Amino acid sequence: MSAVEQLGYLVFEVSDLAAWERFATGVLGLVVAEREDDGALLLRNDERAWRIRVEPGPADDLAALGWQVADDEAMDAVVARLKAAGCPVEPASPEQAATRRVARLVRYRDLNGVPSELFCGAAMASSPFESDLVASGFVAGELGMGHCVVRAPDKAATQRFYEDVLGLRLSDHITCEIFGFPVDLAFMHANARHHSVAFGGELDKNIHHFMLEVRHLDDVGLAYDRAIRARLPIANTLGRHPNDGMVSFYAHTPSGFQFEFGWGGVEVDDATWQPTTHGRISDWGHHPPVRLQPRRKKSPADSGETGP
Ligand code: FE2
């Protein structure tokens, strides 16, 4: 079955473009590839012409999730399956495809309304990727730009959609409770990256977080330092997930949804991989920010003392 090959790009509509540029270049270590006439920024994390597009608008949300297919034939096959699944597919104009720097583009929404695109023929950058802040570089290329966690009120139906229509494969589930709240997530892969997309539950936005992976653990620690110095709200401290093995932290983007910055994700071999269900979200760490707060100094009123 023709399947999507990788998560090619993400497009975010953001209300504070200047804050996003400071965040993307100064915390994440991405590189600005181009600026569009409408103010949109194209950002790189590898040899592709771009991987994240940040465009001005009020939504502060994921505006498009771009799936790469190999060629016209693969695109035709996936489009046919989308239509058979009842998803309206909108062919893009050559101008819209040029905006994405791809040869061919179609748009659709997944069964939960998450704005999505299929493309083939992505342009490469004219210069090698180099980030002053992320010396080791990002794990991207054939594995795609990273991963994304999207809204999916019906996990089982969403899993069937991504399996049957896009051709993704199940990696595993995580089913547990966090602070008394049930968590039930499915993780799906398109290539050797453990997951390109995960989902399981309703969200206020289309996206919960996107993930970027670096090649050296120190580059996670350095990004953690930069996030703290930039006073980004930390959502989860450093920790390791049991399923993809990623050592990562989570913080909030200027748009309110989160990013994960990690290292050490396992790769999946479809010939031998057996999907399982994990009973916890983290082997260690990933604590919420309250754990970071220093103990309040006792005031004289607390001890009954009247002070010096
Ligand atoms: Fe993640």
Side-chain angles (χ1 to χ4, degrees):
M1 181 168 90
S2 297
V4 299
E5 292 184 322
Q6 61 164 271
L7 178 60
Y9 57 75
L10 297 174
V11 179
F12 300 128
E13 186 184 311
V14 310
S15 60
D16 190 341
L17 207 60
W20 259 90
E21 181 167 357
R22 288 194 299 275
F23 159 67
T25 60
V27 177
L28 298 180
L30 301 178
V31 171
V32 176
E34 287 186 63
R35 290 169 206 275
E36 305 277 55
D37 291 342
D38 64 356
L41 286 178
L42 296 182
L43 297 158
R44 291 177 62 190
N45 78 338
D46 69 352
E47 309 304 319
R48 284 285 172 95
W50 67 284
R51 288 293 198 173
I52 294 180
R53 177 187 168 93
V54 185
E55 56 191 29
D60 278 318
D61 200 354
L62 177 69
L65 187 155
W67 290 108
Q68 174 177 305
V69 292
D71 49 28
D72 283 333
E73 196 179 326
M75 176 157 319
D76 291 341
V78 178
V79 165
R81 296 201 299 267
L82 280 167
K83 289 179 174 170
C87 272
V89 180
E90 180 192 328
S93 66
E95 292 75 23
Q96 289 168 327
T99 300
R100 299 288 191 255
R101 310 312 195 248
V102 299
R104 190 176 162 204
L105 176 74
V106 299
R107 295 172 165 179
Y108 68 96
R109 287 181 182 270
D110 78 2
L111 78 167
N112 305 306
V114 174
S116 306
E117 300 177 352
L118 292 176
F119 71 90
C120 59
M124 302 301 282
S126 56
S127 58
F129 177 78
E130 201 173 330
S131 167
D132 290 340
L133 296 182
V134 180
S136 68
F138 292 87
V139 178
E142 299 286 295
L143 299 180
M145 55 81 64
H147 74 232
C148 189
V149 176
V150 295
R151 62 183 294 270
D154 186 335
K155 186 187 82 161
T158 304
Q159 182 183 328
R160 284 195 298 275
F161 175 88
Y162 278 93
E163 278 173 345
D164 298 345
V165 177
L166 295 194
L168 300 189
R169 283 82 69 197
L170 178 70
S171 301
D172 39 46
H173 298 276
I174 291 181
T175 304
C176 61
E177 268 193 13
I178 301 180
F179 299 106
F181 294 98
V183 171
D184 187 9
L185 298 165
F187 297 80
M188 305 198 70
H189 60 275
N191 50 51
R193 187 187 289 285
H194 175 274
H195 59 283
S196 292
V197 69
F199 45 79
E202 185 56 291
L203 298 171
D204 293 338
K205 296 176 185 276
N206 290 318
I207 182 173
H208 178 271
H209 72 266
F210 68 94
M211 188 284 304
L212 299 175
E213 182 178 5
V214 291
R215 297 185 181 280
H216 198 290
L217 178 60
D218 283 348
D219 279 318
V220 177
L222 290 166
Y224 196 46
D225 283 351
R226 292 193 297 272
I228 288 170
R229 277 201 300 272
R231 297 189 171 279
L232 294 185
I234 302 294
N236 297 100
T237 60
L238 281 170
R240 188 192 285 275
H241 289 301
N243 58 341
D244 66 356
M246 187 82 74
V247 174
S248 62
F249 73 94
Y250 293 71
H252 290 260
T253 69
S255 290
F257 58 81
Q258 296 179 21
F259 71 93
E260 178 184 9
F261 202 95
W263 163 84
V266 301
E267 295 195 358
V268 169
D269 177 356
D270 277 314
T272 53
W273 186 264
Q274 293 291 330
T276 51
T277 297
H278 297 266
R280 61 187 182 281
I281 197 100
S282 304
D283 284 336
W284 53 266
H286 289 145
H287 299 296
V290 67
R291 308 292 172 100
L292 280 180
Q293 293 175 3
R295 258 175 227 262
R296 217 159 53 94
K297 203 175 171 182
K298 272 192 171 179
S299 71
D302 291 331
S303 61
E305 294 170 6
T306 52

